[in-house]
Amino acid sequence: MKKNKKKVLNKLKDILNSYKTIIWISFLINIILLIFTYYVISSNKIYSFSGEDEYLKVENGLIVLNTDINILNGNNIKYVKDEDYDIKEYKIGYYVMDGTKLIEIVSNSIKLDNTIKLSELINKFTSFNIAEKNNNKYYFTNYKKKLIKDGLYLVLEAKTNDNKDIVSKVNLNVSKISKH
């Protein structure tokens, strides 16, 4: 039994002491590292977005998607319509489009006790700075990440004091900044 162990150990030592084995092991490690590096680099995606319609204007929005963290910075929203409204409830959010269906990334909605001017609410809005670890997958699921390049929308739905519905669906221009 001990002889067999010694033979195996000696054979293993001979294999590991061979320069060919060291070259092959180095080669395999380098291939694995190159594949991993390519994966990490190609997984980093940075998008900027902007757009406007008759109610809203979005400037300098940013989405960063990588293997560590996903970020949405989309607070630079301005109310641009000349006419202002007193509203009692609203919902605003960023969405991606799957065919003809809007898929929510993030939204904020409130029913107000007192009315507020829509322009004041939009111009002071600061709820769309999102940072999420890549493995959490609450805001940025793989499904939503794939749809970003197909269409990103800022949607506002508000109800005025006299029950008039205001709907704004801004189709944002998305530009990929990163190489891959």
Side-chain angles (χ1 to χ4, degrees):
M1 191 77 159
K2 280 195 171 192
K3 274 188 173 182
N4 285 340
K5 278 188 177 180
K6 274 197 173 195
K7 278 185 180 180
V8 171
L9 284 175
N10 285 336
K11 189 75 165 165
L12 189 60
K13 281 181 184 178
D14 289 342
I15 291 173
L16 291 177
N17 285 334
S18 168
Y19 71 91
K20 289 180 182 179
T21 304
I22 293 172
I23 289 173
W24 279 106
I25 291 173
S26 298
F27 182 72
L28 289 174
I29 290 172
N30 285 329
I31 294 295
I32 291 169
L33 288 174
L34 284 172
I35 291 169
F36 177 73
T37 303
Y38 178 77
Y39 167 74
V40 169
I41 289 172
S42 64
S43 295
N44 293 329
K45 294 179 177 43
I46 302 172
Y47 301 96
S48 68
F49 60 87
S50 61
E52 68 180 291
D53 72 355
E54 64 179 302
Y55 290 99
L56 302 174
K57 181 176 185 177
V58 180
E59 295 177 327
N60 305 323
L62 186 69
I63 296 176
V64 178
L65 307 172
N66 64 40
T67 57
D68 185 36
I69 193 166
N70 300 313
I71 298 171
L72 169 73
N73 185 339
N75 285 336
N76 201 356
I77 305 169
K78 303 228 180 318
Y79 185 78
V80 293
K81 189 163 176 96
D82 291 335
E83 185 180 357
D84 206 354
Y85 302 94
D86 289 320
I87 61 164
K88 61 182 179 180
E89 63 182 85
Y90 75 95
K91 180 177 183 180
I92 187 169
Y94 283 102
Y95 296 80
V96 289
M97 185 71 79
D98 184 8
T100 58
K101 183 180 175 190
L102 287 172
I103 309 296
E104 179 181 306
I105 295 176
V106 62
S107 71
N108 190 343
S109 61
I110 293 180
K111 290 186 179 185
L112 302 165
D113 293 333
N114 298 324
T115 60
I116 188 170
K117 292 285 186 191
L118 183 58
S119 62
E120 184 180 332
L121 180 77
I122 297 298
N123 292 334
K124 293 182 180 180
F125 195 77
T126 60
S127 292
F128 290 143
N129 272 345
I130 298 167
E132 169 183 66
K133 284 192 167 258
N134 190 45
N135 56 4
N136 285 355
K137 308 263 190 250
Y138 179 73
Y139 297 109
F140 294 102
T141 62
N142 289 333
Y143 172 64
K144 292 176 187 176
K145 286 180 188 179
K146 289 177 186 172
L147 293 174
I148 287 174
K149 64 182 179 294
D150 295 336
L152 181 66
Y153 293 84
L154 176 67
V155 177
L156 167 70
E157 298 169 344
K159 190 171 287 282
T160 64
N161 219 11
D162 54 348
N163 286 330
K164 179 182 175 189
D165 288 329
I166 298 171
V167 178
S168 171
K169 184 172 144 185
V170 182
N171 185 356
L172 300 167
N173 300 318
V174 178
S175 301
K176 189 172 182 184
I177 297 172
S178 58
K179 273 187 169 181
H180 297 278

